[in-house]
Amino acid sequence: DIRMTQSPASLSASLGETVNIECLASEDIYSDLAWYQQKPGKSPQLLIYNANSLQNGVPSRFSGSGSGTQYSLKINSLQSEDVATYFCQQYNNYYTFGAGTKLELK
Amino acid sequence: EVQLVESGGGLVQPGRSLKLSCAASGFTFSDYNMAWVRQAPKKGLEWVATIIYDGSRTYYRDSVKGRFTISRDNAKSTLYLQMDSLRSEDTATYYCATLAVNGWFAYWGQGTLVTVSS
């Protein structure tokens, strides 16, 4: 199984700040990576697929990058509505998720 | 608007069975691969099972193989998950989701909670 290691597990940031979340795959996943946002009590919502493609309707302050085993999600100009837990997911070999990064406001 | 509405969750004793349903609307259900993904309380996400758009192929994670069965009724735009021989570790919120051909989960339902406990 491909393991996905996310970091940090939690972070606190201020409004307007830029935030980076990392995801490390246990082997090369050839950009077969998605990012999701899950707000408390809600279901996950797709943000990014194919490592860097923005899902329709997702604000452009969200962006994804990376290749091989290392990927990242960047949130520019943090807004209050971005408070959530973020998960990465690989789909190169079946489907596995990272453990999540809980983002809070400072 | 894509809508996925799960139902059928509840409290069940270990070893018993439960069947979940997911009613789809707002898209052509028979064109889409579908999946179940679960999330244990305060935990991360875990893929459970996948079914191809026409029901011809199914895939399962190892821990549920032989106990869970995913199926679909395209005439009713409904996805199912039959769960037998339930264990305490199956306790989770179960989400149905559309599965893109390449492998991401584009749309999710609101989830249904399954609690396995005596």
Side-chain angles (χ1 to χ4, degrees):
Chain A
D1 290 8
I2 297 177
R3 295 179 307 279
M4 305 300 291
T5 304
Q6 260 184 263
S7 61
S10 64
L11 78 153
S12 183
S14 302
L15 292 174
E17 203 173 316
T18 294
V19 169
N20 280 286
I21 298 170
E22 308 292 325
C23 192
L24 179 66
S26 60
E27 60 187 82
D28 194 330
I29 57 171
Y30 302 96
S31 297
D32 290 338
L33 184 101
W35 289 96
Y36 301 87
Q37 177 193 67
Q38 185 176 33
K39 296 183 178 180
K42 300 293 187 181
S43 57
Q45 301 291 309
L46 176 68
L47 298 174
I48 302 281
Y49 59 93
N50 289 345
N52 60 17
S53 296
L54 197 67
Q55 170 71 343
N56 288 343
V58 174
S60 58
R61 64 179 179 273
F62 291 91
S63 63
S65 63
S67 62
T69 62
Q70 295 185 297
Y71 299 87
S72 62
L73 173 70
K74 184 178 179 180
I75 310 174
N76 284 318
S77 188
L78 187 69
Q79 305 294 303
S80 58
E81 60 263 34
D82 300 335
V83 169
T85 300
Y86 293 84
F87 296 93
C88 61
Q89 176 233 333
Q90 69 80 22
Y91 44 89
N92 182 257
N93 185 356
Y94 286 96
Y95 319 97
T96 48
F97 294 85
T101 296
K102 187 174 183 180
L103 174 60
E104 298 174 324
L105 282 180
K106 193 180 291 183
Chain B
E1 180 195 3
V2 172
Q3 277 207 311
L4 298 168
V5 180
E6 301 94 336
S7 59
L11 175 63
V12 61
Q13 293 179 326
R16 303 298 290 264
S17 300
L18 205 60
K19 187 171 185 176
L20 306 182
S21 299
C22 171
S25 61
F27 65 105
T28 304
F29 181 72
S30 57
D31 286 349
Y32 282 77
N33 301 339
M34 297 294 295
W36 289 97
V37 178
R38 68 186 179 185
Q39 185 171 34
K42 304 295 186 186
K43 298 290 187 182
L45 298 162
E46 186 175 79
W47 166 75
V48 175
T50 291
I51 186 165
I52 301 304
Y53 66 97
D54 62 357
S56 61
R57 281 172 286 156
T58 58
Y59 305 90
Y60 301 91
R61 69 179 301 104
D62 286 346
S63 61
V64 308
K65 273 182 193 172
R67 299 189 300 121
F68 289 12
T69 303
I70 188 172
S71 62
R72 63 192 298 159
D73 185 336
N74 284 345
K76 294 182 178 180
S77 295
T78 302
L79 177 71
Y80 303 101
L81 185 67
Q82 175 68 45
M83 304 185 294
D84 299 324
S85 302
L86 282 160
R87 305 168 180 168
S88 58
E89 55 264 36
D90 297 318
T91 294
T93 294
Y94 285 73
Y95 298 99
C96 70
T98 63
L99 178 59
V101 170
N102 287 12
W104 57 85
F105 303 100
Y107 299 100
W108 300 62
Q110 86 289 350
T112 187
L113 177 62
V114 173
T115 303
V116 184
S117 175
S118 54

